[in-house]
């Protein structure tokens, strides 16, 4: 545009921002100089550059641009608003406070600035816990409990993440534990609403307390160590690359560091996308985060990104991801970085990934042969009425596809290798419902004994029958189904229930451990495992599980009481003392907590004297 309209100032302003985002200082200086000849003394180009730099977390250059914009037009609130909010994102609260106080005078009606200034003033009263690599800030009161738990976990998380990426951030990471959802949202966006429970802006991680309550105050329980490990991975990869890592890759790397397997629902979504041919290529996946076309595009992008990182790790080794981060730190773009590190083109990478992904889907038991729809269609075609309905549906679908193709005639091509007529966008084939008799199911299982869909159908029918759970054959079928479709927690739920009913503790533990690995919003499995391990006198495993339960629900008095009891039995009086201290904060009006704490302190003192 600037070549065709050399006097178009807005285009030159955006060209400045584009040069800044390309990390091209020479081009930025030249564009700013040209803009200066068009609008001497104007702040617009500096403001536009600073605003886009802030969105891309290029904090140092952003501060320079916005400061210069404010110097040029000191009565214009916008640059100062962006500067103040940016300083909050970069954990420079003192600088943010100074700027936002000035903004409050210039533009007292700016809600983001006013909310942020209120929060900054509130943060001045927050308590702090310092660990070797973190500063944890929290409001105090009952949040002492979660803050202390965080202090115990953070250094373990630090070691796990920095070892994997072979990089340590140059400064302490600030973790702010917000007492409610509204304060957390303001910390991240300046407004009291956001869709998530934690966020990383680089040197700062904000997280709300894991607590149940009114929806406008709390979003419920969650496995905060898992969430923090995800967010701290962002801190590491952003610092490692100078905040230049592609959006999809920093999210994928963060998901890859979460403990626990991907959910069954995620596996089903990926398997369906693979079957439809609708997985994102490397150009599409980055836009799926910022401009999703379908309701599940963002969640699919998270899941597929992790899948691609898993593929990179398996095929190219763990070092490949570290080398990619190094390339991005140099300012290399993805088009150059992937061929440089992986030694194949981006197109070849995606093609090879799809082959590997297909093998993964089969290993998950989500690509049965023949597909269940094929078997059911055979039944439908044997029934004259259903066959007629199927043929009508097929004709309607073909007609809709043909009409869509006709509408595209004469329109510009969407680009090489792309099409707006992907199978995922075709109208569904309407299949009339059909019943599978027990006789037909038995016949199919005779033909396809390892078909996971058929096994699942047989198992569910048996369990729906009175007394089905007592059948040895049902248990055997559940175990066969679990082996053929290892990503589905359903058989483990049933097997755990059966084992608990029969008081088969080792069997129950085996399946409860699987269920607990999937769980991230409830401590129910962890509590049960702690009780079972305690019954086996396995205090080490019992403590590990009750600690997980306490982390998911830090404000549960029963969880802390059980933790204290197990710790005493294990001879870990210091751990028992910690949980009893937390109980005095959760339930300060219950005198028995103080009495138990005093008793533990006497035991610790006596042990020390001996």
């Amino acid at each position: 545009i600037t070549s065709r309209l050399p006097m178009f100032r807005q285009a030159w302003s955006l060209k400045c921002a584009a040069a800044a985002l390309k990390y091209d200082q020479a081009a930025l200086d030249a564009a700013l100089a040209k803009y200066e000849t068009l609008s001497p003394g104007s702040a617009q180009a500096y403001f536009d550059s600073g605003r886009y730099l802030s969105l891309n977390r290029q904090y140092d250059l952003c501060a320079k641009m916005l400061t210069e914009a404010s110097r040029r037009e000191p009565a214009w609130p916008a640059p100062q608003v962006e500067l103040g909010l940016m300083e909050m994102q970069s954990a420079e609260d003192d600088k943010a406070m100074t700027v936002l106080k000035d903004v409050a005078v210039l533009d007292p009606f700016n809600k983001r600035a006013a909310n942020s200034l209120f929060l900054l003033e509130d943060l001045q009263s927050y308590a702090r816990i310092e660990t070797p690599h973190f500063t944890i800030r929290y409001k105090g009161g009952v949040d002492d409990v979660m803050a202390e738990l965080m202090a115990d976990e953070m250094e373990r998380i630090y070691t796990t993440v920095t070892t994997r990426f072979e990089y340590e951030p140059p400064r302490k990471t600030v973790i702010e534990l917000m007492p409610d959802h509204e304060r957390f949202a303001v910390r991240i966006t300046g407004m009291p609403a956001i869709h998530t429970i934690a966020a990383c802006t680089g040197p700062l991680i904000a997280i709300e307390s894991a607590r149940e309550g009114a929806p406008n105050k709390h979003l419920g329980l969650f496995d905060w160590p898992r969430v923090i490990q995800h967010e701290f991975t962002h801190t590491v990869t952003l610092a490692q690359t100078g905040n230049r890592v592609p959006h999809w890759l920093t999210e994928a790397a963060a998901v890859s560091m979460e403990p626990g397997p991907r959910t069954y629902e995620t596996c089903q979504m990926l398997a369906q996308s693979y079957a439809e041919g609708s997985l994102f290529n490397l150009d599409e996946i980055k836009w799926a985060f910022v401009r999703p076309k379908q309701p599940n595009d963002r969640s699919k992008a998270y899941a597929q990104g992790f899948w691609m990182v898993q593929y990179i790790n398996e095929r190219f080794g763990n070092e490949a991801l570290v080398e990619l981060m190094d390339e991005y730190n140099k300012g290399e773009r993805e088009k150059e970085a992937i061929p440089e590190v992986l030694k194949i083109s981006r197109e070849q990478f995606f093609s090879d990934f799809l082959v590997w992904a297909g093998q993964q889907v089969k290993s998950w038991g989500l690509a049965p042969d023949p597909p269940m729809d094929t078997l059911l269609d055979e039944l439908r075609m044997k029934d004259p009425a259903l066959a007629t309905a199927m043929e009508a549906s097929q004709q309607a679908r073909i007609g809709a596809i043909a009409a869509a193709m006709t509408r595209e005639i004469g329109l510009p091509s969407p680009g090489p290798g792309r099409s707006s007529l992907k199978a995922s966008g075709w109208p569904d084939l309407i299949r009339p419902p059909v019943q599978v008799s027990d006789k037909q199911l038995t016949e199919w299982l005779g033909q396809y004994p390892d078909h996971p869909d058929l096994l699942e159908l047989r198992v569910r029918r048996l369990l729906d029958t009175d007394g089905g759970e007592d059948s040895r054959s049902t248990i055997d079928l559940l175990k066969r189904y679990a082996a053929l479709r290892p990503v589905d927690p359903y058989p483990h739920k049933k097997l755990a229930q059966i084992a608990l009913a029969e008081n088969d503790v080792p069997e129950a533990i085996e399946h409860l451990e699987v269920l607990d690995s999937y769980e991230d919003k409830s401590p129910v499995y962890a509590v049960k495992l702690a009780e079972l391990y305690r019954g086996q006198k396995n205090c080490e495993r019992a403590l590990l599980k009750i600690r997980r339960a306490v982390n998911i629900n830090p404000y549960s008095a029963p969880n802390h009481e059980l933790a204290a009891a197990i710790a005493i039995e294990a001879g870990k009086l210091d751990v028992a003392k910690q949980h009893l201290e937390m109980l005095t904060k959760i339930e300060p009006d219950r005198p028995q907590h103080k009495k138990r704490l005093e008793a533990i302190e006497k035991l610790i003192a006596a042990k020390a004297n001996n």
Side-chain angles (χ1 to χ4, degrees), residues 1-12 14-15:
I1 295 176
T2 54
S3 61
R4 289 187 289 109
L5 301 171
M7 305 297 288
F8 188 13
R9 288 177 297 176
Q10 185 177 355
W12 278 104
L14 292 176
K15 188 167 185 175

Side-chain angles (χ1 to χ4, degrees), residues 32-232:
L32 286 170
K34 175 62 177 180
Y35 190 86
E36 185 70 12
T37 65
L38 298 174
S39 291
S42 171
Q44 188 67 52
Y46 290 91
F47 171 66
D48 286 341
S49 298
R51 185 162 60 90
Y52 285 107
L53 286 165
S54 177
L55 291 172
N56 284 269
R57 296 192 178 102
Q58 298 298 307
Y59 296 132
D60 291 341
L61 184 55
C62 170
K64 293 178 181 178
M65 293 291 108
L66 293 175
T67 299
E68 178 61 17
S70 299
R71 186 192 69 79
R72 286 170 170 248
E73 297 190 35
W76 187 19
Q80 296 186 52
V81 170
E82 291 296 330
L83 179 59
L85 296 175
M86 184 279 294
E87 296 290 13
M88 285 190 70
Q89 300 286 295
S90 61
E92 297 289 352
D93 288 359
D94 291 341
K95 294 179 181 178
M97 178 83 79
T98 300
V99 175
L100 290 175
K101 282 183 176 178
D102 291 339
V103 170
V105 176
L106 283 175
D107 186 1
F109 301 104
N110 188 296
K111 290 185 177 180
R112 293 177 69 207
N115 290 339
S116 298
L117 182 58
F118 169 82
L119 181 61
L120 282 173
E121 292 170 343
D122 189 39
L123 285 169
Q124 301 303 304
S125 64
Y126 277 33
R128 288 173 177 253
I129 297 177
E130 299 287 346
T131 77
H133 298 103
F134 298 92
T135 297
I136 301 169
R137 296 168 56 168
Y138 60 101
K139 194 167 181 63
V142 72
D143 281 343
D144 287 349
V145 173
M146 187 166 167
E148 285 185 35
L149 292 170
M150 293 176 77
D152 291 345
E153 293 281 351
M154 288 314 305
E155 292 302 319
R156 176 195 62 78
I157 290 172
Y158 182 90
T159 300
T160 299
V161 178
T162 57
T163 300
R164 167 63 186 94
F165 290 95
E166 301 177 18
Y167 181 84
E168 296 188 49
R171 57 184 281 194
K172 273 191 175 187
T173 303
V174 177
I175 299 179
E176 291 183 348
L177 173 60
M178 294 300 173
D180 55 51
H181 183 68
E182 289 181 343
R183 281 181 172 81
F184 162 69
V186 168
R187 189 55 164 117
I188 300 304
T189 68
M191 297 298 285
I194 194 172
H195 67 280
T196 187
I197 52 178
C200 169
T201 61
L204 169 76
I205 297 171
I207 185 169
E208 66 177 78
S209 58
R211 195 182 307 175
E212 295 174 310
N216 65 323
K217 285 291 185 182
H218 305 289
L219 294 189
L221 305 181
F222 59 92
D223 183 357
W224 66 259
R226 177 175 183 154
V227 172
I228 285 283
Q229 189 153 308
H230 175 113
E231 299 301 337
F232 182 62

Side-chain angles (χ1 to χ4, degrees), residues 344-610:
I344 57 175
S345 68
R346 295 166 78 244
E347 293 74 21
Q348 186 64 49
F349 168 82
F350 186 65
S351 176
D352 293 350
F353 162 72
L354 288 178
V355 174
W356 175 87
Q359 296 167 350
Q360 284 265 297
V361 171
K362 286 183 180 178
S363 72
W364 296 343
L366 293 176
D369 185 24
M372 195 65 181
D373 279 341
T374 300
L375 294 174
L376 294 177
D377 284 348
E378 290 177 5
L379 281 187
R380 293 184 180 98
M381 298 309 292
K382 291 177 181 178
D383 184 302
L386 295 180
T388 301
M390 277 287 290
E391 289 170 0
S393 178
Q394 289 169 344
Q395 289 300 317
R397 186 170 187 258
I398 292 171
I401 294 170
M405 295 178 69
T406 301
R407 288 194 297 270
E408 292 235 335
I409 295 174
L411 295 179
S413 169
R418 299 182 184 180
S419 173
S420 59
L421 294 173
K422 289 184 177 180
S424 59
W426 293 356
D428 292 331
L429 178 64
I430 306 301
R431 290 179 162 92
V434 62
Q435 294 295 321
V436 179
S437 67
D438 289 341
K439 180 182 177 182
Q440 181 65 70
L441 180 57
T442 300
E443 181 182 325
W444 278 342
L445 279 169
Q447 292 178 267
Y448 313 107
D450 293 330
H451 196 292
D453 285 338
L454 297 175
L455 276 173
E456 181 185 11
L457 183 57
R458 170 58 60 84
V459 164
R460 289 184 182 273
R461 286 189 178 180
L462 288 172
L463 291 175
D464 287 341
T465 305
D466 291 340
E469 294 182 0
D470 297 331
S471 169
R472 188 71 246 173
S473 62
T474 304
I475 295 173
D476 291 341
L477 282 173
L478 279 167
K479 291 186 175 181
R480 278 184 60 203
Y481 175 60
L484 288 168
R485 185 167 283 165
V487 296
D488 187 356
Y490 169 76
H492 298 285
K493 288 182 181 179
K494 294 301 179 182
L495 288 166
Q497 290 171 0
I498 295 169
L500 288 170
E502 296 178 351
N503 200 30
D504 187 343
V505 174
E507 183 81 4
I509 285 176
E510 176 186 344
H511 298 292
L512 287 171
E513 284 283 11
V514 174
L515 296 173
D516 188 45
S517 70
Y518 282 101
E519 186 56 62
D520 64 353
K521 289 183 172 61
S522 170
V524 59
Y525 297 124
V527 169
K528 188 62 181 178
L529 282 165
E531 293 171 344
L532 293 176
Y533 283 124
R534 184 187 185 190
Q536 290 184 327
K537 307 299 182 184
N538 188 342
C539 292
E540 183 178 347
R541 290 295 299 173
L543 274 175
L544 185 68
K545 286 300 171 181
I546 194 59
R547 178 58 181 241
R548 173 163 159 73
V550 164
N551 281 340
I552 294 176
N553 191 352
Y555 305 100
S556 166
N559 286 353
H560 285 283
E561 286 186 308
L562 180 58
I566 294 172
I568 291 171
E569 292 173 9
K572 296 183 180 294
L573 300 183
D574 54 336
V575 175
K577 178 185 175 184
Q578 181 188 38
H579 287 288
L580 289 170
E581 286 174 339
M582 292 177 179
L583 279 166
T584 64
K585 296 170 183 177
I586 295 169
E587 296 180 335
D589 56 339
R590 297 191 65 186
Q592 60 265 45
H593 297 323
K594 293 181 180 178
K595 291 179 181 178
R596 291 172 182 167
L597 179 58
E598 290 169 359
I600 285 291
E601 288 173 340
K602 288 179 181 178
L603 287 174
I604 292 173
K607 187 176 181 180
N609 291 332
N610 292 334

Side-chain angles (χ1 to χ4, degrees), residues 23 237-238 241-250 325 328-329:
Y23 323 123
T237 57
L238 290 172
T241 61
N243 292 350
R244 295 171 179 178
V245 59
H247 190 157
W248 79 265
L249 186 55
T250 187
M325 298 298 173
Y328 294 127
N329 187 46

